[in-house]
Amino acid sequence: SPPPDTGATNGRDTAALADTSETLLKRYPGQEQETQRICLRDSQFEEEQVVRLLLQELHDRGFTDTFNQLQRESGFTLENEPVSQFRNSVLAGEWSKVKDSLSTIGIQTPDNLNAALFLIKRQQFLELLEARQLKQALLVLQNELSTLTNDIQQLHRLSGLLMCPSVEDLRTAADWDGSSGRSRFVVLESLQTYISPGSMVPVHRMETLFGQALAYQCDACKYHVRPANQGLYIDHMCPTSVFPQELQFSLKGHQDEVWYVAFSPDGRYLASGSRDKTCIIWSMSDFSIVHRFNGHQNEVAYIAWSPNSKYIVSASSDRTLRLWDVEDGTQMQVFSGHEETVTSCKWLGTNDRFISGGLDHRIIIWDINGTIVKQISSPRVHDLAVSSDCSLLLVADEKTDIHAYDLTTLTFMYSLNEPVEVMSMALSADARYCITGLRNGELHMWDLDTRTLVRDFSGHTQGQYVIRCTFAGQDDRLVATGSEDGLLFVWNRNTGQLLARLRGHTKTINVCTWSDKAAALATSSDDKTICIWPAYRGAPSHRPDSTDDLSTSDDDDDESHADDKSMVSGAHSTTSIDMF
């Protein structure tokens, strides 16, 4: 049953509430008469803009009654009548009305008016084709679209759509989902580029502002290694406790120096290549050996995973590359086209092609059947990097240059010049930044948009050996590299601040690599071991503390490798951490 009436409201008596209301009304004179509401605080933002953003969000989320009530109470509307009619006409496909209303919605310049009209007429052209009204579509193309642009190639592409034999072919060729799909909404969003935001609030504006605020918080996060999923109520900040604080495991399975490690894209496996001429596939679920690949005649210097995590390509100083099936543990192909050491290889976005570079002045594109698709001459290649969309290829040569190519055409674009020999490099996921490891021990970061050197990182030791650096953390906000003194160095990418020196190896670290899926760093060393550094407790790669050694033999070569056991050992007691 309800409590007795005590005259209290939410724990506060009505008299206190009345006093508060009276105080607020004195603070904001005239509010009672004008709006019958109490504004609880001052704001630096215009009330109309705030209310219209609220209206847009309510409308987008389907709160129709609240949307209408807020318009009535505030006196503001989301859009004026001409803009509202324009929106409705676009979504209804009433193209003659859309064209007539363009002059009334705040488009400022003739160029913008033509660009907006082109988007409208292109949609009308596609819808006429969809309705199989080919004559009318041809008239729109010849009499209207052709007068609105000088882009001949685009006009040719549109004219080619007239030859599509079916609606399905049209939608595929035009990359368009039809009049009944989202295409009209897409056109409306594109049109907002040319319309004053004061007339039509940019689409999903509040969501955009939330995203920008979160991105700013992530930029300011010193240790950014886990997703910003705290929601909107508090600011994002990774505490020090979620930064790699300890070496979780040291993997022992190779008989000689481990020269390369790479996580599978799905985070389930780790591949390693060694001076002992073998590759090992490790399970990230229990750190056991899944496969040991034998076949190379010399050291394995590089490994690349296919995008689907089913294959690896290994590169060796025996002048070959080899393709291995990770699921069944078999060798699928040997690639013999280089005449000297193969130093690097990368997959090209699909699971059937990859690129390799070597000291023989060759860069070769292969298909997985062993066919050379294309090759180009190059200085001796120290390292390659390929953007995630496969549009950009970076080549670090034997001298001091990094050469950028348009990978779709293999045409040269520009060069970046370093003061000394580039030993390794890494490309950020968005292809905005490139870090280079130099023979003199310097680590540089380049902004590829401006082609300028924006930051250098120091403290580590490098000179005699190739040490491969990496971007790490969420959104590549960290930079990491090994050192000849056996330490792993980690910096904040945006500030250059050294965050930690981590010791788990006893000799030179040859490579470090990061996986978002595993939320971990992995390093390999001349001490024959691989170290796993989970980014935080509870990360997919994190395991409960263990002081027992777990020995696992290779299931293919139990007899021939009777004394070659993989060992997974908790290594906390040997770890040295310097945090900054």
Side-chain angles (χ1 to χ4, degrees):
S1 61
D5 185 2
T6 63
T9 304
N10 280 342
R12 298 177 63 190
D13 61 47
T14 54
L17 287 175
D19 289 343
T20 301
S21 300
E22 183 177 350
T23 300
L24 289 170
L25 287 173
K26 289 179 180 178
R27 184 181 177 189
Y28 300 98
Q31 292 295 313
E32 183 180 29
Q33 291 78 9
E34 293 180 5
T35 64
Q36 296 297 315
R37 63 189 175 88
I38 299 171
C39 185
L40 298 180
R41 61 179 177 84
D42 291 318
S43 174
Q44 62 178 310
F45 302 107
E46 290 185 18
E47 187 169 78
E48 179 181 356
Q49 293 185 14
V50 173
V51 171
R52 290 182 68 197
L53 292 185
L54 291 172
L55 286 169
Q56 184 190 58
E57 191 70 12
L58 290 169
H59 180 271
D60 290 350
R61 293 181 180 272
F63 292 102
T64 305
D65 292 342
T66 308
F67 170 83
N68 292 330
Q69 175 63 25
L70 181 56
Q71 286 195 130
R72 287 193 298 269
E73 184 175 355
S74 67
F76 300 121
T77 59
L78 177 58
E79 296 168 344
N80 60 33
E81 188 62 26
V83 170
S84 180
Q85 290 178 355
F86 173 78
R87 175 189 295 275
N88 293 335
S89 296
V90 170
L91 297 180
E94 298 171 340
W95 304 117
S96 59
K97 291 183 179 180
V98 172
K99 181 179 178 181
D100 293 340
S101 61
L102 274 178
S103 60
T104 68
I105 60 174
I107 297 180
Q108 303 296 325
T109 67
D111 287 343
N112 284 351
L113 188 62
N114 282 344
L117 191 55
F118 182 86
L119 291 174
I120 292 166
K121 288 301 175 180
R122 180 183 182 275
Q123 178 74 12
Q124 182 182 9
F125 170 74
L126 293 173
E127 292 192 11
L128 288 170
L129 290 180
E130 181 183 46
R132 311 314 290 166
Q133 299 178 29
L134 302 185
K135 289 184 178 180
Q136 294 91 324
L138 182 59
L139 289 174
V140 170
L141 178 63
Q142 291 177 333
N143 299 336
E144 299 186 84
L145 283 169
S146 62
T147 66
L148 296 171
T149 181
N150 294 321
D151 189 341
I152 302 301
Q153 289 187 346
Q154 183 168 193
L155 292 174
H156 284 168
R157 287 193 295 270
L158 292 175
S159 65
L161 299 177
L162 289 162
M163 306 304 294
C164 291
S166 67
V167 172
E168 290 73 20
D169 290 331
L170 168 67
R171 292 174 179 172
T172 300
D175 191 21
W176 180 72
D177 66 355
S179 58
S180 61
R182 284 191 47 81
S183 64
R184 291 176 181 172
F185 290 95
V186 172
V187 169
L188 187 62
E189 291 180 10
S190 300
L191 286 170
Q192 290 196 241
T193 304
Y194 308 106
I195 300 172
S196 166
S199 300
M200 181 180 285
V201 178
V203 65
H204 310 314
R205 183 57 182 166
M206 188 173 288
E207 190 81 11
T208 299
L209 293 175
F210 288 156
Q212 291 171 350
L214 187 59
Y216 174 81
Q217 294 166 23
C218 291
D219 278 339
C221 181
K222 184 177 179 180
Y223 307 102
H224 192 49
V225 294
R226 66 187 307 173
N229 54 9
Q230 295 96 326
L232 297 174
Y233 295 142
I234 60 174
D235 289 350
H236 168 77
M237 183 61 68
C238 292
T240 305
S241 60
V242 304
F243 187 75
Q245 296 283 305
E246 58 187 22
L247 170 61
Q248 183 69 16
F249 283 110
S250 179
L251 310 183
K252 301 176 182 179
H254 285 290
Q255 301 301 301
D256 210 329
E257 299 169 357
V258 187
W259 284 7
Y260 203 83
V261 287
F263 285 104
S264 61
D266 61 12
R268 295 174 58 205
Y269 302 108
L270 181 74
S272 58
S274 171
R275 191 178 180 184
D276 67 9
K277 309 174 188 177
T278 70
C279 300
I280 293 178
I281 305 297
W282 306 83
S283 169
M284 287 300 294
S285 63
D286 59 7
F287 300 122
S288 63
I289 288 181
V290 179
H291 300 294
R292 185 189 306 275
F293 295 137
N294 297 279
H296 282 295
Q297 302 304 305
N298 287 323
E299 305 91 348
V300 177
Y302 209 97
I303 293 173
W305 282 90
S306 63
N308 62 8
S309 298
K310 292 183 178 180
Y311 314 115
I312 64 167
V313 171
S314 56
S316 171
S317 58
D318 66 9
R319 306 177 183 180
T320 71
L321 300 107
R322 293 173 187 256
L323 178 67
W324 310 89
D325 188 320
V326 174
E327 293 187 338
D328 61 22
T330 59
Q331 178 178 288
M332 299 174 62
Q333 191 65 251
V334 178
F335 304 85
S336 300
H338 288 283
E339 297 179 355
E340 292 189 44
T341 296
V342 187
T343 54
S344 184
C345 55
K346 299 286 184 183
W347 289 81
L348 297 179
T350 61
N351 300 298
D352 58 0
R353 289 191 178 189
F354 63 90
I355 189 169
S356 64
L359 299 181
D360 58 352
H361 303 270
R362 293 182 183 179
I363 297 174
I364 302 176
I365 296 178
W366 309 82
D367 68 25
I368 60 174
N369 297 317
T371 303
I372 294 178
V373 177
K374 188 174 291 187
Q375 61 179 312
I376 58 175
S377 297
S378 167
R380 291 159 66 93
V381 175
H382 278 185
D383 207 353
L384 299 173
V386 174
S387 61
S388 57
D389 64 0
C390 293
S391 64
L392 174 68
L393 168 67
L394 297 180
V395 180
D397 68 18
E398 61 179 328
K399 300 178 182 177
T400 62
D401 295 320
I402 298 172
H403 306 289
Y405 295 86
D406 182 333
L407 191 50
T408 58
T409 60
L410 287 180
T411 55
F412 172 78
M413 295 193 297
Y414 60 86
S415 289
L416 306 174
N417 184 257
E418 290 283 14
V420 296
E421 192 174 358
V422 179
M423 305 301 289
S424 69
M425 64 181 171
L427 188 62
S428 62
D430 61 4
R432 171 73 185 274
Y433 299 106
C434 172
I435 51 175
T436 57
L438 309 183
R439 181 175 286 280
N440 64 0
E442 295 179 6
L443 192 67
H444 290 171
M445 184 169 77
W446 292 82
D447 185 326
L448 299 185
D449 286 352
T450 61
R451 303 175 194 175
T452 56
L453 180 62
V454 293
R455 193 154 291 113
D456 62 87
F457 308 90
S458 60
H460 61 295
T461 304
Q462 180 177 359
Q464 183 178 357
Y465 303 110
V466 174
I467 297 178
R468 300 189 186 275
C469 48
T470 188
F471 286 98
Q474 288 292 314
D475 305 318
D476 293 337
R477 301 300 174 92
L478 306 178
V479 170
T481 192
S483 180
E484 291 182 7
D485 56 12
L487 293 173
L488 169 62
F489 286 72
V490 185
W491 297 268
N492 181 289
R493 184 195 75 185
N494 292 336
T495 66
Q497 179 184 1
L498 178 63
L499 302 180
R501 289 192 300 256
L502 311 175
R503 180 179 293 280
H505 293 287
T506 58
K507 294 184 179 180
T508 297
I509 294 178
N510 297 311
V511 65
C512 54
T513 186
W514 164 264
S515 168
D516 276 336
K517 293 293 181 64
L521 280 163
T523 55
S524 67
S525 170
D526 285 354
D527 65 9
K528 308 178 187 179
T529 69
I530 300 162
C531 290
I532 306 297
W533 305 85
Y536 52 90
R537 289 189 175 273
S541 57
H542 184 269
R543 299 290 176 268
D545 293 352
S546 171
T547 56
D548 297 329
D549 290 344
L550 305 177
S551 300
T552 307
S553 63
D554 176 52
D555 50 278
D556 293 329
D557 297 300
D558 286 343
E559 296 183 3
S560 61
H561 292 278
D563 60 346
D564 180 11
K565 305 293 185 181
S566 99
M567 187 169 293
V568 184
S569 58
H572 310 284
S573 61
T574 64
T575 305
S576 171
I577 311 285
D578 293 329
M579 301 297 294
F580 300 90

